[in-house]
Amino acid sequence: MESTPSHSQDADLIRPTRDVLEHALVKDRAAMARAAEQDLQAFWAREAANFVWFNGWDKVLDDSNPPFYKWFTGATTNIVYNCLDRHLSTWRRNKLALIWEGEKGEQRSFSYHALSREVCMFANVLRSMGVRKGDRVTIYMGRVPELPIAMLACAKIGAIHSVIYGGFSVEAIHGRIEDSQSNIVITCDGGYMNGKVVELKQIVDEALKRCATVEHVIVIKRTGMDVPMEEGRDYWYHDLMTLPVAKTASGQSRCETEEVDAEHPLFLLYTSGTTGKPKAILHTHGGYMVGVATTLKYVFDIQDDDRFWCTADPGWVTGHSYVVYGPLLLGATVFIYEGGPTYPFPNRWWSLIEKYGINILYTAPTAIRGLMRFGEAWPNRHDLSSLRLLGTVGEPINPEAWRWYHRVIGKGACPIMDTWWQTETGMFMITPMPETPLKPGSGTLPFPGVQADVVDEHGNSVKPGEEGYLILKTPWPAMMRTIYNDNERYVEQYWKKVPGAYFTGDSARRDADGYYWIIGRVDDVIKVSGYRLGTAEIESALVSHPAVAEAAAIGLPHEVKGNAIHAYVMLKAGQEPSDELIAELREHVSHEMGPIAKPEKITIVPGLPKTRSGKIMRRVLKARAQGLPEGDLTTLEE
Ligand code: PRX
């Protein structure tokens, strides 16, 4: 792999201000990391002691059958007991848990008491509809409070939620419902995004024509638009919540939280990999709870008077871990905004920070780059002085965007937590803490207890400054447990490439100070605006169009999105290329997969570069498109 200069330049280090250091929970990260390295299990056991366990654990970590690691074995708990129930007997009962603003400016807020009440009632409804411990429930919604409420209601009764991002569409939903064998779908009539209505229920209806398992659909009224309701299958959420079943026999809005094993599945979250079939990453109650809360506490330094805003959609892992579960576990106040950042004007986010006095903002590089384009005047119109810490996630952040975020939004006083992690890791893995000296564009160091490395194809560590594969060498509590129903694929994809280590699929460099610089994916995953998409899924959406014989998708650099999808298609015999057909194909991908997967550009080609065994050589397409050397072509078919 190519060698690049090391980024170690001490002059570049951005050190925290005295205020930040005084506030910081962790003053000496190196000491914390040493303690965790010396005794990993004691480190995590200390953090686990902050939670309620109905039964204590026999072992902190069971590593007798790697890579099927188990955490807190023998213990019982429920993440929802720790997110909600336990706060109700403290002063936090009346603290705001959730503040929400809709795209049209409506406001709703929930204290811990109010959130728990709503969750209890919906959990009772789900139970009355026959949902039992271990059942899978699909959730497909816009960003409304009922999304976290539905997730928590499922987890409370031991059901396994599978949230599908509201930007996905028909085929993506069908594939995920079928794989998870859910028989209940919770959705909204529609959702608001960037001033438009997303027709969520209609998309669900279309997807359900392709799946047989679903018995009931619960619909939240968000837009009030007209939607067909199928009798016996579809129910309005607001009707169900007024039924006697939503309450206990004595008329109270209570619901017993199910005691579950620490290793009981909490959720499935589908993510893209190297094949066309999305894989369901499985996370559990106990370890995920400890990992997510601990990382959030130390990295974002959350304290009781903070208002935390993570702009991610709860439909992605960032939303699961750091909009829903992490903040509630810490008894924090979380803010959720329904819509797009530039609606109706590019100051919407900045006005929300001022209006709600947000202290911590956690977002994605693509959003920063997008907002940067509108200039400084928009944020400068607002008082952003409540901000104390900033964060970023999802893709590498270019130093230019980092510096703008730091200077214009953070006024030079808010450190930026550039957190590297994945759906699979569940929690931050390489990340600064407020005390860590920063280098723009680097995620800095592994979280205490995490041992990472950058290696070559034989698994040997590469020299500082050299590019290699990023691997993780120690288990961590919030790690995925498996791919749902596919242990073999789990072992094959993550644990085979470098024996004994977790293979992240990312390439990285480590500099002379031990700081990590993530470069990007080494597999067929494309990060578009931080969203993770598989080339194979896009290709399979393209070939499902009757005019297409074969297709190849690649990611090419894009100024705002990071990467944009470019597709090459071969038409079936008798099909004529035309601009109309290209427009139709782009729409087709959007309809099947979702607008986020719509290719930037489609080129109709007479043939695709393939190996002699018939595999499309995407790297050749990529090099050609960028005018770069095409590399080794010995395996290329004539
Ligand atoms: O390539 C890395 C990139 O996002 C991938 C994980 O995507 P996903 O599972 O969708 O989770 C995204 C949110 C955690 C990683 O393999 N990535 C994530 N965070 C960063 C990043 N790349 C660079 N810097 C980051 N901070």
Side-chain angles (χ1 to χ4, degrees):
M1 284 192 172
E2 90 191 79
S3 165
T4 44
S6 149
H7 286 70
S8 173
Q9 282 160 359
D10 210 43
D12 260 5
L13 284 180
I14 294 167
R15 295 183 186 279
T17 61
R18 191 178 322 152
D19 278 0
V20 169
L21 267 183
E22 267 169 19
H23 197 279
L25 271 174
V26 176
K27 309 273 194 249
D28 185 350
R29 173 182 186 150
M32 187 175 173
R34 270 194 308 276
E37 193 175 337
Q38 272 159 18
D39 194 340
L40 184 71
Q41 300 198 26
F43 173 79
W44 286 113
R46 269 195 302 279
E47 295 301 336
N50 294 320
F51 300 96
V52 177
W53 303 84
F54 303 122
N55 237 330
W57 52 84
D58 306 322
K59 266 187 166 173
V60 175
L61 167 65
D62 175 356
D63 54 4
S64 59
N65 183 26
F68 298 96
Y69 295 98
K70 291 182 183 159
W71 286 83
F72 308 110
T73 51
T76 60
T77 185
N78 186 307
I79 197 168
V80 177
Y81 194 92
N82 284 286
C83 284
L84 298 175
D85 305 31
R86 69 164 167 157
H87 299 313
L88 303 182
S89 53
T90 72
W91 67 271
R92 288 199 185 92
R93 178 183 184 86
N94 294 326
K95 178 180 171 176
L96 286 184
L98 174 64
I99 306 171
W100 176 86
E101 182 164 314
E103 198 174 71
K104 291 176 175 293
E106 315 93 308
Q107 297 173 31
R108 291 169 75 191
S109 54
F110 296 80
S111 63
Y112 273 88
H113 163 77
L115 185 62
S116 174
R117 180 172 178 274
E118 193 90 4
V119 168
C120 283
M121 287 168 60
F122 193 48
N124 286 331
V125 165
L126 290 175
R127 270 197 182 133
S128 77
M129 292 177 93
V131 179
R132 295 284 171 267
K133 186 171 166 181
D135 287 355
R136 278 81 53 216
V137 175
T138 294
I139 301 175
Y140 174 69
M141 285 191 198
R143 267 197 298 266
V144 289
E146 285 76 9
L147 173 47
I149 288 165
M151 291 164 72
L152 292 160
C154 289
K156 188 176 175 80
I157 59 174
I160 305 168
H161 58 73
S162 163
V163 182
I164 305 176
Y165 170 58
F168 276 126
S169 195
V170 181
E171 186 47 35
I173 300 172
H174 162 228
R176 285 158 175 75
I177 291 178
E178 202 154 78
D179 185 78
S180 64
Q181 297 282 298
S182 302
N183 41 30
I184 292 208
V185 178
I186 307 166
T187 189
C188 297
D189 51 356
Y192 293 111
M193 185 52 70
N194 297 315
K196 294 191 197 115
V197 172
V198 185
E199 297 186 336
L200 298 163
K201 170 69 164 58
Q202 192 196 315
I203 295 171
V204 167
D205 284 340
E206 210 180 320
L208 293 194
K209 287 190 195 133
R210 304 181 193 181
C211 348
T213 56
V214 174
E215 288 163 18
H216 297 302
V217 181
I218 301 174
V219 189
I220 287 126
K221 190 173 262 191
R222 168 66 187 119
T223 61
M225 65 203 284
D226 226 4
V227 288
M229 297 288 282
E230 193 177 303
E231 206 171 323
R233 188 195 73 177
D234 301 351
Y235 300 89
W236 288 107
Y237 176 88
H238 59 264
D239 286 342
L240 295 171
M241 292 288 267
T242 55
L243 293 178
V245 292
K247 302 210 172 179
T248 59
S250 54
Q252 292 182 325
S253 29
R254 296 222 182 106
C255 169
E256 206 58 45
T257 302
E258 185 95 27
E259 178 173 341
V260 297
D261 194 275
E263 284 290 306
H264 182 67
L266 171 61
F267 65 82
L268 305 180
L269 191 53
Y270 285 85
T271 191
S272 301
T274 42
T275 73
K277 193 170 167 273
K279 49 191 175 183
I281 306 300
L282 186 132
H283 283 287
T284 57
H285 276 250
Y288 176 81
M289 165 172 85
V290 175
V292 162
T294 306
T295 45
L296 182 62
K297 178 176 69 171
Y298 292 132
V299 173
F300 282 109
D301 220 356
I302 300 229
Q303 303 190 14
D304 256 318
D305 51 0
D306 277 324
R307 285 186 170 185
F308 177 67
W309 182 15
C310 166
T311 65
D313 193 285
W316 295 90
V317 76
T318 311
H320 279 57
S321 297
Y322 300 110
V323 176
V324 182
Y325 290 111
L328 298 177
L329 285 166
L330 298 178
T333 301
V334 70
F335 173 69
I336 298 180
Y337 164 58
E338 177 185 41
T342 55
Y343 185 81
F345 299 110
N347 64 333
R348 184 65 184 264
W349 275 16
W350 318 129
S351 74
L352 292 170
I353 291 170
E354 175 176 341
K355 181 170 173 188
Y356 293 99
I358 302 295
N359 306 104
I360 305 165
L361 175 69
Y362 182 37
T363 188
T366 185
I368 299 163
R369 289 192 296 263
L371 290 165
M372 222 171 113
R373 283 190 315 167
F374 294 101
E376 292 177 31
W378 289 103
N380 287 347
R381 282 169 54 181
H382 296 277
D383 178 1
L384 305 181
S385 61
S386 57
L387 288 174
R388 189 164 70 65
L389 279 178
L390 301 173
T392 159
V393 61
E395 53 175 324
I397 180 162
N398 47 314
E400 191 198 355
W402 195 102
R403 289 186 189 282
W404 187 87
Y405 193 30
H406 192 251
R407 179 176 61 80
V408 179
I409 307 307
K411 311 297 175 203
C414 306
I416 299 176
M417 304 296 107
D418 178 352
T419 59
W420 176 89
W421 59 296
Q422 308 178 302
T423 307
E424 292 88 339
T425 70
M427 66 181 218
F428 308 146
M429 299 302 286
I430 294 177
T431 175
M433 290 185 189
E435 64 85 61
T436 314
L438 304 172
K439 300 184 190 186
S442 168
T444 76
L445 302 163
F447 189 79
V450 173
Q451 288 188 32
D453 201 358
V454 180
V455 301
D456 62 19
E457 48 271 42
H458 309 295
N460 301 316
S461 304
V462 301
K463 294 201 198 83
E466 276 179 17
E467 183 175 339
Y469 301 118
L470 178 66
I471 60 163
L472 302 170
K473 299 195 295 189
T474 35
W476 62 98
M479 65 198 300
M480 70 185 288
R481 295 302 191 262
T482 190
I483 295 174
Y484 183 62
N485 280 340
D486 205 344
N487 286 344
E488 217 172 287
R489 191 172 171 197
Y490 168 63
V491 175
E492 195 57 44
Q493 288 205 342
Y494 300 103
W495 299 94
K496 272 282 167 68
K497 299 224 171 55
V498 179
Y502 170 86
F503 188 80
T504 64
D506 277 4
S507 64
R509 272 193 295 267
R510 191 171 37 189
D511 69 19
D513 298 330
Y515 275 38
Y516 285 79
W517 299 78
I518 307 298
I519 296 162
R521 301 288 309 185
V522 293
D523 53 11
D524 295 323
V525 166
I526 312 180
K527 279 278 179 160
V528 183
S529 301
Y531 298 128
R532 179 167 162 180
L533 298 167
T535 49
E537 287 170 278
I538 301 159
E539 289 158 5
S540 102
L542 279 165
V543 296
S544 73
H545 187 280
V548 177
E550 278 194 82
I554 57 168
L556 291 178
H558 185 281
E559 212 180 313
V560 174
K561 298 179 182 173
N563 295 288
I565 300 165
H566 288 245
Y568 298 84
V569 301
M570 274 168 64
L571 298 181
K572 285 189 181 148
Q575 296 288 338
E576 285 303 318
S578 69
D579 289 347
E580 291 72 42
L581 178 59
I582 288 177
E584 190 180 313
L585 292 177
R586 291 181 69 224
E587 270 320 310
H588 178 73
V589 177
S590 178
H591 179 262
E592 290 294 301
M593 276 282 295
I596 51 167
K598 188 172 179 172
E600 192 83 0
K601 190 170 169 204
I602 295 183
T603 311
I604 295 178
V605 290
L608 290 166
K610 286 189 190 163
T611 60
R612 281 186 209 101
S613 55
K615 222 176 142 234
I616 295 172
M617 294 177 84
R618 295 191 190 86
R619 71 171 172 82
V620 172
L621 286 170
K622 214 167 157 163
R624 276 181 198 165
Q626 294 177 280
L628 297 171
E630 290 177 19
D632 182 4
L633 296 179
T634 47
T635 58
L636 190 70
E637 192 186 42
E638 281 305 302

